[in-house]
Amino acid sequence: MLKNKRIYFDHNATTPLAPEVKEAMCDTMENIFGNPSSAYMEGMAARQIVDRARASVSNLLNGCADCIIFEGSGSEANNHVLKSIAFANIKDKNHIITSLIEHPSVLDTCRVLEKKGIDVSYLKAGKSGRVNPEDLATVVTKKTSLVSVMTANNETGVIQPIKELAAVAKKNGVLFHTDATQAIGKIPVDVKKLGVDLLSLSAHKFYGPKGAGALYVRKGIVMEPLIHGGGQEHGLRAGTENVIGIAGLGTAAELARKNLPQMKRVKALRDRLEKDMHKLFPKARINGDKRFRLPNTISITLPGINGGAFVAELDKKGISISAGSACHAGSPKPSGILLAMGLTAEEALCTVRISLGIGNSMRDIDSAIKAFREIIPSLSKRGILG
Amino acid sequence: MKPIYLDNNATTMVADEAREAMLPYLSAEYGNPSSMHHFGGKVHRKIESAREEVAKLINAEPEEIIFTSCGTESDNTAIMSALETTGKRHIITTRVEHPAVLNFCMAQGRKGCKTAFLPVDKSGRLDLDNLEKAINDETAVVSVMYANNESGVIFPIEKIAEIVKSRGVLFHTVAVQGAGKIEIDVKRLPVDMMSLSGHKIHAPKGVGALYIRKGTRFSPYIIGGHQERGRRSGTENVASIVAMGTACGLARNNIAEEIVKMKRMRDRLENGLIERCPDAIINGDKENRLPNTTNISFEYIEGEAILLRLNEHNICASSGSACTSGSLEPSHVLRAMGVPFTAIHGSVRFSLSRYTTDEEIDFVLKTMPPIIRELRDLSPFGR
């Protein structure tokens, strides 16, 4: 297969830049070089770019422009929320709640917080891959300061009952944060409808650039910065603004709103691919509750086939998929998310993730099925150790 | 009309070469460097070659460099890592550091950390005896900038590092203003950690780096995925990292010539202004200064007024650091240096780059003296 004809099915890892985003970034790179904190024209021009992007992100989320802080990545935004809120009132409130299926930037940060005297409760997701709001109600206490549950899971695509979870948190006077990194651009995300207090997002998961993230902070919430220094971002995130990246994030946010209807087509492609994979491999099992899934994601267990070997063989045929999240790639350990859902280590190692995007076509699906058909017999012979 | 941009300590133009280098990573090469497939792997290798370029600029090894989102993040990361790994609660820094260090230390102060802020003299120099005396058993880290962003004064980092290391304490330096303007060699300099920023050396904003000497215990600041070998999480800002690699290569290639060229033009600007404008004082130690920076106080007038008038002629300079502009407080650096009241408000910083031309210097020399005369005529302080 030709190099430039590669089929990219790993949109939950990262996405290509939309042409409009690239244009906005190149335009900024060519014409705007001032420091947004400088008082002269060149600085003010850079400031305008940042402010315009802030308005675009707030429109996407139905927040307010004052509520958006730009950060260096989704991971940074998650670290910021957890550390800032967990330590804010540590004497009175030293308990936070999250789930076992969160991104490592949440889970690993929580492990560090535990070492520093914060109690952390981890909600289970079970076979459906969904956190149960009733479970939250039973673990929340007077000592709880924060609940953090992702909007949709990166590996299974399962959408979490955020509105219900946020309502439980609110009833108990606890702040609610959601990591919406995987949801933005794939399903509608409205901070008011969901009732969340804090929300993280990352540009490169919705056709924006890497290195640009944002945090929504509901008005009235007092937070410490994670990165201290100059007074940028209302004093909540120091460091000279990534103006080019922020310009890209703003444009990506506008497009995400506009292009949401396209996810219907992506869902049709995904459903077709799933159906064909079942025909090809009747023992295959889809992970997660099919009623509540991102329209682009498939997490599929192929009993008897090593997931890593499957990914490598497809890679040789010019198709990019993943055996888990990119953040775990390269590690031979089975996915913690799948284990938390009750899969055995063996089943988890036989699982791959396919995540489609708006650039994919029915022809990509047909080519992929053809490639699967070619590689499955030999992979079946090699077995689960690959 | 192209601005005459003499504010390169605030930020710099992205070099054409750096911009070119970024472009593929804004289109065809969009893979996630952490992905297992070949498509991501290629991007990963490009990050590694950028890491080599950054390392070479300061004569470090590639595995001693981690990429961050900015110099400020590097500073916060370095000092926090020292506190975490030593378990000690005392920091030593100077009164003239960048807000990234000062405000970080203040924030730690609210959590029970103590910080000693060392004073500087009229020329912006440190008294090394004060440093020696400030170090105690609880000292986790000493953080002293390589060169000051406002005055351009270069600290005797080699001597400072020797003192600090002889007491077994970690040493961090912010080299954001030094890198690319003076030669830095970590093999000869016993620093443990060093912060760098892309946008001060003709790479884009939103990328920085932290040098961590091999063998230094380290605790990550942003936790999560395994990026940067577990030392800094978050998907890498690929395009900007690639550009920073290219920018470091450019800086290294011509550094000796550029130092001479920038210094010659800076001196011409400085001497010309002093000759043509009475009651002008140069702030900072002239012997040990960045070759691109001059900070001049024009007594009895407001720096902001000078800048506005310069801006009308399309000349960009600054009255302090960009990070604190907009506030009417006089610069904390000049205050620490004891610049007199009549002069502190009238200070202007010019900072040149390799792209500054002699014509631009001529234009400033022609334009500025009449502005100073006019403003003095309006000044309530006379002259």
Side-chain angles (χ1 to χ4, degrees):
Chain A
M1 194 168 286
L2 286 171
K3 212 174 162 192
N4 56 0
K5 289 270 170 90
R6 285 188 68 93
I7 297 174
Y8 188 74
F9 280 168
D10 199 13
H11 290 80
N12 288 10
T14 194
T15 56
L17 285 192
E20 296 90 333
V21 171
K22 187 187 167 194
E23 202 184 300
M25 290 175 75
C26 287
D27 206 43
T28 306
M29 208 169 359
E30 297 266 346
N31 300 312
I32 308 285
F33 75 99
N35 186 324
S37 297
S38 292
Y40 40 75
M41 269 271 297
E42 285 69 17
M44 286 185 279
R47 162 76 40 224
Q48 271 176 10
I49 298 272
V50 173
D51 287 344
R52 204 180 310 145
R54 204 185 304 283
S56 302
V57 174
S58 97
N59 277 343
L60 173 67
L61 301 174
N62 191 24
C64 57
D66 289 354
C67 301
I68 305 295
I69 314 165
F70 290 117
E71 311 239 357
S73 62
S75 290
E76 183 189 320
N78 288 338
N79 272 248
H80 187 178
V81 169
L82 292 169
K83 289 181 183 171
S84 177
I85 305 293
F87 289 126
N89 276 315
I90 190 166
K91 281 193 192 114
D92 306 326
K93 293 186 170 218
N94 66 342
H95 177 232
I96 63 173
I97 300 169
T98 186
S99 84
L100 282 170
I101 56 164
E102 299 298 310
H103 187 264
S105 56
V106 170
L107 283 180
D108 292 354
T109 302
C110 285
R111 305 282 181 218
V112 170
L113 293 177
E114 283 187 86
K115 285 185 207 148
K116 298 197 173 282
I118 306 278
D119 284 335
V120 185
S121 301
Y122 298 90
L123 300 170
K124 293 196 177 86
K127 207 168 173 271
S128 67
R130 269 194 130 205
V131 171
N132 185 345
E134 284 167 25
D135 292 348
L136 173 60
T138 63
V139 293
V140 70
T141 72
K142 287 202 172 87
K143 294 248 174 200
T144 312
S145 62
L146 177 72
V147 177
S148 176
V149 176
M150 67 201 330
T151 314
N153 183 267
N154 46 324
E155 292 192 31
T156 61
V158 172
I159 300 165
Q160 304 301 319
I162 296 303
K163 199 172 158 184
E164 292 77 5
L165 291 164
V168 174
K170 191 170 183 188
K171 211 175 109 195
N172 289 279
V174 176
L175 290 177
F176 189 86
H177 166 249
T178 188
D179 172 4
T181 299
Q182 290 294 345
I184 302 287
K186 295 170 191 155
I187 53 172
V189 176
D190 178 324
V191 289
K192 298 216 173 76
K193 279 190 193 153
L194 292 174
V196 301
D197 299 303
L198 300 136
L199 178 146
S200 315
L201 59 85
S202 170
H204 79 103
K205 306 287 190 190
F206 57 99
Y207 310 95
K210 298 170 182 64
L215 182 63
Y216 161 81
V217 184
R218 184 174 55 74
K219 229 179 218 163
I221 294 176
V222 182
M223 264 179 96
E224 274 261 307
L226 175 69
I227 297 182
H228 302 266
Q232 295 94 344
E233 300 298 301
H234 316 304
L236 281 178
R237 205 284 186 177
T240 297
E241 298 87 338
N242 177 0
V243 180
I244 298 168
I246 289 171
L249 170 53
T251 308
E254 283 162 27
L255 289 173
R257 228 156 66 108
K258 211 176 82 189
N259 289 341
L260 201 58
Q262 289 212 40
M263 290 317 285
K264 260 193 188 149
R265 186 179 59 81
V266 173
K267 183 175 182 300
L269 294 178
R270 193 270 314 265
D271 291 346
R272 162 73 192 287
L273 179 62
E274 212 164 75
K275 216 171 97 195
D276 286 359
M277 284 185 84
H278 263 298
K279 270 191 222 154
L280 206 60
F281 205 95
K283 282 188 289 176
R285 279 192 307 270
I286 301 296
N287 299 303
D289 190 329
K290 285 180 81 169
R291 291 169 306 167
F292 304 103
R293 262 194 317 165
L294 292 176
N296 77 317
T297 309
I298 305 174
S299 168
I300 190 164
T301 302
L302 307 166
I305 290 181
N306 179 284
F310 190 78
V311 171
E313 287 305 315
L314 280 183
D315 194 18
K316 285 184 204 158
K317 291 188 170 292
I319 301 174
S320 303
I321 69 160
S322 117
S325 73
C327 308
H328 281 308
S331 102
K333 278 197 297 191
S335 147
I337 290 167
L338 299 176
L339 297 181
M341 287 168 64
L343 270 72
T344 64
E346 195 181 306
E347 285 167 329
L349 286 173
C350 296
T351 301
V352 296
R353 176 186 72 183
I354 299 169
S355 46
L356 308 186
I358 52 178
N360 292 131
S361 64
M362 196 54 90
R363 216 167 46 198
D364 293 343
I365 304 296
D366 292 338
S367 309
I369 287 296
K370 188 167 161 276
F372 293 166
R373 189 173 291 130
E374 285 164 12
I375 63 173
I376 282 181
S378 73
L379 285 172
S380 296
K381 268 185 220 144
R382 279 157 67 182
I384 63 158
L385 295 176
Chain B
M1 184 182 150
K2 209 174 135 241
I4 295 178
Y5 189 76
L6 298 175
D7 198 13
N8 289 281
N9 287 8
T11 194
T12 59
M13 186 187 92
V14 177
D16 289 345
E17 295 88 337
R19 195 175 59 222
E20 284 290 307
M22 280 176 91
L23 292 177
Y25 299 90
L26 297 179
S27 44
E29 303 295 337
Y30 60 84
N32 187 324
S34 295
S35 290
M36 255 169 81
H37 41 73
H38 181 70
F39 187 58
K42 249 169 47 183
V43 176
H44 180 77
R45 281 194 294 281
K46 188 69 188 177
I47 288 183
E48 292 317 305
S49 68
R51 198 187 307 282
E52 280 171 32
E53 288 296 329
V54 175
K56 276 187 207 160
L57 180 66
I58 56 169
N59 198 22
E61 300 302 318
E63 59 273 24
E64 295 176 317
I65 302 291
I66 64 170
F67 287 110
T68 64
S69 69
C70 57
T72 296
E73 184 190 328
S74 299
D75 301 341
N76 281 227
T77 301
I79 302 176
M80 188 55 119
S81 171
L83 294 172
E84 291 281 323
T85 55
T86 60
K88 295 181 176 179
R89 314 289 289 156
H90 182 239
I91 307 167
I92 299 173
T93 185
T94 77
R95 286 176 59 187
V96 297
E97 294 299 308
H98 188 269
V101 171
L102 294 179
N103 289 340
F104 179 85
C105 293
M106 304 282 202
Q108 296 314 309
R110 293 190 285 276
K111 294 175 191 161
C113 256
K114 287 210 169 87
T115 303
F117 297 95
L118 302 175
V120 295
D121 68 10
K122 275 196 162 55
S123 303
R125 287 176 303 209
L126 280 174
D127 180 343
L128 299 188
D129 285 343
N130 280 338
L131 169 63
E132 286 231 58
K133 280 181 225 147
I135 299 175
N136 64 43
D137 290 343
E138 260 307 291
T139 308
V141 61
V142 175
S143 178
V144 174
M145 66 201 328
Y146 211 113
N148 187 271
N149 45 324
E150 295 191 33
S151 64
V153 170
I154 300 170
F155 284 135
I157 291 300
E158 210 166 329
K159 278 188 207 150
I160 295 171
E162 271 164 27
I163 294 171
V164 175
K165 293 319 294 171
S166 74
R167 300 285 292 272
V169 173
L170 286 168
F171 182 57
H172 166 245
T173 185
V174 181
V176 166
Q177 292 294 346
K181 295 169 195 160
I182 42 179
E183 297 192 46
I184 297 178
D185 181 345
V186 293
K187 295 256 158 43
R188 290 189 313 161
L189 204 65
V191 302
D192 299 301
M193 291 181 277
M194 178 184 284
S195 307
L196 302 170
S197 166
H199 78 103
K200 309 283 190 189
I201 51 168
H202 305 287
K205 297 163 187 66
V207 61
L210 180 64
Y211 159 81
I212 308 155
R213 183 178 295 278
K214 221 181 273 178
T216 306
R217 286 178 63 207
F218 183 75
S219 165
Y221 199 53
I222 296 182
I223 302 161
H226 63 155
Q227 293 94 346
E228 299 293 305
R229 296 194 294 139
R231 294 189 286 179
R232 197 274 187 178
S233 297
T235 297
E236 299 87 340
N237 183 354
V238 176
S240 299
I241 287 173
V242 170
M244 185 167 176
T246 306
C248 285
L250 284 175
R252 189 171 51 95
N253 282 343
N254 301 315
I255 192 160
E257 287 160 50
E258 279 165 8
I259 288 173
V260 173
K261 188 184 144 201
M262 284 193 291
K263 184 172 182 310
R264 181 180 57 74
M265 284 199 271
R266 189 273 314 269
D267 290 345
R268 204 159 72 77
L269 175 67
E270 187 171 88
N271 296 335
L273 287 175
I274 295 289
E275 268 167 36
R276 291 170 176 80
C277 307
D279 298 315
I281 308 163
I282 297 166
N283 297 310
D285 178 6
K286 278 186 76 176
E287 299 300 309
N288 298 295
R289 229 173 7 149
L290 292 175
N292 78 319
T293 309
T294 176
N295 188 313
I296 308 177
S297 282
F298 298 91
E299 284 194 279
Y300 316 113
I301 42 178
E302 281 287 338
E304 297 294 331
I306 304 174
L307 293 182
L308 277 176
R309 296 298 310 277
L310 287 177
N311 204 13
E312 285 167 15
H313 294 275
N314 230 348
I315 300 168
C316 301
S318 90
S319 60
S321 74
C323 311
T324 47
S325 75
S327 86
L328 290 172
E329 285 280 293
S331 139
H332 72 283
V333 175
L334 299 183
R335 263 186 308 173
M337 288 162 66
V339 173
F341 164 77
T342 50
I344 198 164
H345 288 278
S347 72
V348 176
R349 175 187 72 184
F350 293 100
S351 44
L352 285 58
S353 80
R354 76 167 78 100
Y355 302 110
T356 304
T357 64
D358 272 309
E359 290 72 37
E360 290 176 328
I361 300 294
D362 288 336
F363 184 76
V364 177
L365 286 175
K366 194 180 79 189
T367 313
M368 195 158 171
I371 292 177
I372 300 295
R373 268 198 301 280
E374 274 171 48
L375 291 172
R376 285 246 169 86
D377 288 343
L378 297 171
S379 166
F381 300 104
R383 299 290 179 129

